[in-house]
Structures are given as C-alpha cells and as structure tokens.
Amino acid sequence: MQQGWKKSKEKENSQHMTAQAITKKDLRSYFTKEKLHRFMFGTREKQGAGKMIAIYGLLICIGFVYLYPIFYMISTSFMDQNDLLDTSVKWIPSHLYLRNYVDAGASLDFVASFFKGILIAGIPTVCNILVDMMVGYGFARYEFKGKKIMMAILIFSYILPKQVTMIPTYVLYNDMGILGTIWTFALPALFGNGLNAPIFILIFYQFFRQVPKVLMEAAAIDGAGHFKRFFRIAVPSAVPAIVTVVLFSFVWYWNESYLTELYVQGLSGNSIWTNLVVQLKNFDSSFASKATVGSTATSLNESVRMAATSLSIIPLLIMYLILQKQFVESIDRAGITGE
C-alpha cells in the first residue's frame, strides 16, 4: 500500500513537472522576440501598442500644456470676488457670475471693436490670398532670369527683423497720408508685402509645384492661356493652401497689437480703428475710466481680466471650430505628389 501510494505520488509529481515544463515551453514559444517587437512597434500595416501608447501619452502632455491656460481662464472668468478669496474653490465656481463679462464687454467696447477687428484682419487676409497666390504660382510654374535671386530676397525679407524697417515704414506711411487708416495694412498686402507674406508665398509655391504638369500641358494644348490655366486649374486645386493661408493670416493680423497701434491707429491716437487685442492691452485704464461708483465695475480683479481675455479670443475659437475640418483636410491633401 505504501509503495503504491509513493508510486502514485511520484507519478503525480512527474506529471505536474511535465505540465510546468510544457507551460513554460508554450509561453516561450508564444512570447518570442518577433512577437514582442510587433506588439511594441507594430508592422508596416499596423501600429504597435507600445508605440501608440507613447504617441498618445506625448499628445496628451502637449495638449495639457495648451489647454490648461484656457480652462483656467474660462473657469476664473465666471468667479466672483468671494470665489477668488475662497481657497476651497479651485476650478468650479460656486455659481456662474456673468457680470464679469458684462463689465469686460463694456470696457472693451466689444461690438465696435469686434467688427473693426474683423475688417483690420479680414481685408489684408483677402489681399494676401489673391496676390501671394499669383506670386507663388509664378515662382512654381515659370522659369526666368533672376528667379533664384528673387527667391533669396523673399526668404531674406522674412528673416529680416521687423524693428529694422519699422521706423522707415512709419515715415513712408506718414508722407503718403495713410497713417491711422486701414490702408497701412491693406496696401502692403496688395503688393505682396503683407504681414508674414513670404511664408504664404512659399506655401503656394510648394503647393503649385505639386500640381501635375500634365494638367497644365493638356490645358495649353486645348488652347488655354496663362490666366485661364491659373484661374481654371491652379486656383480650384489650391483650396487646401487657401484655407491654410486664411487661418494663419487672419490669426496673425488679429493678434497683432503693436503694429496696429503704430500704423493703423497712429501715434496720435486720433484714429477710430482698433481691435479687441489693442483694447485688451489698454484694458486696465479703460476699465477704470468707465467704472461707476456703487457698481460692481469699480473693483478690477482677476476674474474681470480673464473675462476680457476670453472675449478677445472667442472669435478665433469660433473660426477654428468652423474651419477645423477643412484645415485638417487641407493639410492632408497638401501631401499629394506631382510630376
């Protein structure tokens, strides 16, 4: 009996050890280096899990850096003085205090500044699109003497500091009699020298280089002239580049406060042209001048400043939300290859 029990025990142990050996062998055969490499880094057809985790982790960190100030600004703009002084209130206010936006809007002269800002940023943007698109098309599709020199001058004009040309430009506008008007922004854009125009010319130049030459050659064979090829083939195909230029140009003109004060308003300050960014720059003084005794506007605090800042960026956020799909598609379509 005892020997039989020992034999059965030994048999069970041997079976258990055999099962463990088989399990380890199966695990080793399953978790091979190639499979682990495919799991972490993926293949040509599919992204690996480890690579995706690293990418999304990096994107979340970058997104947090950009979104944190916006969330803080919006949260603080709805707080009253009690919430600002209460250390227990961090992100969510005890109640939505909308008076901050009313006071900030009155100090910014929001309605008038908003529409004037649309004109200050919109008119030069339209000029940039029309002129820079033609210049970029000319550089991309035609060969002429001095082309490389002109491209070098174009790039040099972009890297040249604005402070170098600021005073001569101011004197020129003063002699022309356009200082303190919107022409100080629109006129340079009409001649391809608007705000950051070299970047837009290079965007159109690179895009038109990618348009297949066979399209232009086929149109030329059918009798289409230079302008007809430009307006019938080049312009419709340049929609992705146009969307990109519209967004960048409008945002840069909208956020430009120093040049707006220097050229559009003029140093005399008698011009009627202004925008929300310039009004925000002078917000403290305008808020104090429009404050009335006995009202909530007599107390300038962080919530009112955050409300004014929110009002100044709301148009840009709305424009981005409307054109987000077109902007992403334009970046994707800009990667087509030509001949």
Side-chain angles (χ1 to χ4, degrees), residues 125-243:
T125 296
V126 174
C127 296
N128 271 335
I129 294 171
L130 297 176
V131 178
D132 296 348
M133 183 163 48
M134 289 188 288
V135 176
Y137 179 80
F139 277 124
R141 286 302 173 188
Y142 298 101
E143 296 294 334
F144 50 88
K145 292 183 179 181
K147 176 180 176 180
K148 294 182 179 180
I149 297 177
M150 290 184 180
M151 288 292 294
I153 295 175
L154 177 69
I155 297 173
F156 177 76
S157 64
Y158 176 72
I159 65 177
L160 185 68
K162 297 178 182 178
Q163 292 79 4
V164 176
T165 60
M166 202 170 286
I167 300 303
T169 304
Y170 180 86
V171 175
L172 176 63
Y173 290 163
N174 189 36
D175 295 338
M176 295 175 63
I178 62 175
L179 199 65
T181 66
I182 198 173
W183 283 106
T184 55
F185 274 178
L187 194 61
L190 283 174
F191 289 93
N193 195 30
L195 188 63
N196 295 324
I199 283 292
F200 305 140
I201 293 175
L202 292 176
I203 289 175
F204 284 118
Y205 166 75
Q206 186 63 31
F207 185 87
F208 286 132
R209 284 188 61 192
Q210 295 175 346
V211 176
K213 292 182 180 180
V214 292
L215 294 178
M216 300 297 179
E217 294 173 355
I221 293 174
D222 291 339
H226 297 288
F227 288 99
K228 192 172 184 179
R229 277 179 279 169
F230 174 72
F231 287 106
R232 292 292 183 89
I233 299 177
V235 174
S237 64
V239 173
I242 292 174
V243 173

Side-chain angles (χ1 to χ4, degrees), residues 32-287:
T32 61
K33 291 183 179 180
E34 295 180 357
K35 291 183 179 180
L36 289 176
H37 186 273
R38 287 198 299 267
F39 177 78
M40 294 299 296
F41 301 101
T43 60
R44 294 182 179 179
E45 295 79 14
K46 186 178 179 181
Q47 296 284 353
K51 188 176 180 179
M52 294 298 294
I53 292 173
I55 292 175
Y56 280 103
L58 181 62
L59 292 176
I60 291 173
C61 293
I62 296 175
F64 176 78
V65 172
Y66 283 95
L67 294 178
Y68 176 83
I70 297 177
F71 290 152
Y72 175 81
M73 175 186 64
I74 296 175
S75 174
T76 307
S77 65
F78 287 106
M79 294 183 182
D80 57 10
Q81 292 186 1
N82 295 328
D83 290 338
L84 290 177
L85 298 175
D86 191 354
T87 57
S88 62
V89 178
K90 296 296 184 181
W91 286 97
I92 303 176
S94 59
H95 63 281
L96 296 180
Y97 189 71
L98 301 178
R99 183 68 185 180
N100 294 328
Y101 283 90
V102 176
D103 296 339
S107 299
L108 291 173
D109 194 10
F110 179 77
V111 177
S113 300
F114 171 77
F115 286 105
K116 291 176 182 177
I118 292 293
L119 293 177
I120 292 174
I123 294 176
T125 296
V126 174
C127 296
N128 271 335
I129 294 171
L130 297 176
V131 178
D132 296 348
M133 183 163 48
M134 289 188 288
V135 176
Y137 179 80
F139 277 124
R141 286 302 173 188
Y142 298 101
E143 296 294 334
F144 50 88
K145 292 183 179 181
K147 176 180 176 180
K148 294 182 179 180
I149 297 177
M150 290 184 180
M151 288 292 294
I153 295 175
L154 177 69
I155 297 173
F156 177 76
S157 64
Y158 176 72
I159 65 177
L160 185 68
K162 297 178 182 178
Q163 292 79 4
V164 176
T165 60
M166 202 170 286
I167 300 303
T169 304
Y170 180 86
V171 175
L172 176 63
Y173 290 163
N174 189 36
D175 295 338
M176 295 175 63
I178 62 175
L179 199 65
T181 66
I182 198 173
W183 283 106
T184 55
F185 274 178
L187 194 61
L190 283 174
F191 289 93
N193 195 30
L195 188 63
N196 295 324
I199 283 292
F200 305 140
I201 293 175
L202 292 176
I203 289 175
F204 284 118
Y205 166 75
Q206 186 63 31
F207 185 87
F208 286 132
R209 284 188 61 192
Q210 295 175 346
V211 176
K213 292 182 180 180
V214 292
L215 294 178
M216 300 297 179
E217 294 173 355
I221 293 174
D222 291 339
H226 297 288
F227 288 99
K228 192 172 184 179
R229 277 179 279 169
F230 174 72
F231 287 106
R232 292 292 183 89
I233 299 177
V235 174
S237 64
V239 173
I242 292 174
V243 173
T244 303
V245 171
V246 166
L247 287 174
F248 282 113
S249 179
F250 189 89
V251 169
W252 281 336
Y253 273 108
W254 181 274
N255 290 331
E256 183 56 60
S257 62
Y258 187 80
L259 294 181
T260 302
E261 286 184 305
L262 183 63
Y263 299 147
V264 181
Q265 286 188 333
L267 295 180
S268 60
N270 297 326
S271 176
I272 63 172
W273 293 100
T274 186
N275 58 14
L276 288 175
V277 177
V278 174
Q279 292 290 86
L280 181 64
K281 187 177 179 180
N282 305 320
F283 178 73
D284 288 3
S285 59
S286 63
F287 186 90

